[in-house]
Amino acid sequence: MLKGKYFETLFLGSGRDGEMTLDLPRKKLTKRQEQENIIAEFEGKPILNKGGETIDQERIREQVLRGEQRARELKIDIIKNGNTQVKILKKFSNNIMLSCNIDIFPTSVTIGNSKPSLAIIDIKLTSDLNAKAGYT
């Protein structure tokens, strides 16, 4: 879930309810790097060794770039903090209120030379491109 929240933060500007994940756990530091950090912290200097990004983090950043490119191709307007993470409430009955959060809405999508169509977009991040979870 943390990786999905990181992806949403980079691609949409935030996750649901404005939640932001700006970084992911980093690669483990060497003993020497850990010692350098302790000395720097003791001396009031900035910590220099944070650990490198994991391969998953690098791939997520690449997916964000691909997603932005695809959005340009389909003429999808993504307005961070505008039409992203939109909360919808609907009264179902006197004592039942339905709610949902939509990743991108309202926006239009233009496929090929067709006219723009109104769209509701829910983005997904998966580690398995062949996964069938979520499909009915």
Side-chain angles (χ1 to χ4, degrees), residues 18-86:
E19 185 176 323
M20 298 179 84
T21 301
L22 301 173
D23 203 358
L24 292 174
R26 299 294 186 117
K27 291 179 183 175
K28 198 168 185 175
L29 298 175
T30 65
K31 293 270 187 202
R32 181 177 179 180
Q33 289 172 322
E34 288 175 352
Q35 290 171 345
E36 289 171 352
N37 283 350
I38 291 168
I39 291 168
E41 187 176 25
F42 180 76
E43 294 176 349
K45 296 178 181 175
I47 304 290
L48 299 177
N49 302 307
K50 293 184 179 181
E53 290 185 349
T54 63
I55 191 69
D56 284 351
Q57 189 168 8
E58 290 175 17
R59 288 177 178 160
I60 290 168
R61 294 171 75 73
E62 289 173 13
Q63 270 311 107
V64 169
L65 295 175
R66 285 188 189 119
E68 291 169 345
Q69 175 62 35
R70 190 69 177 138
R72 283 190 295 275
E73 291 169 4
L74 297 174
K75 299 181 179 93
I76 297 170
D77 289 320
I78 300 172
I79 304 164
K80 294 180 179 183
N81 301 312
N83 69 341
T84 60
Q85 298 297 348
V86 178

Side-chain angles (χ1 to χ4, degrees), residues 7-8 11-12 85 100-105 107 119-125 134:
F7 176 67
E8 285 184 344
F11 192 66
L12 301 174
Q85 298 297 348
C100 70
N101 285 74
I102 301 172
D103 289 336
I104 306 169
F105 178 77
T107 190
I120 297 172
I121 300 174
D122 186 52
I123 62 170
K124 294 292 176 217
L125 183 68

Side-chain angles (χ1 to χ4, degrees), residues 1-14:
M1 282 180 50
L2 188 63
K3 292 174 184 175
K5 290 178 182 182
Y6 179 67
F7 176 67
E8 285 184 344
T9 299
L10 295 179
F11 192 66
L12 301 174
S14 73

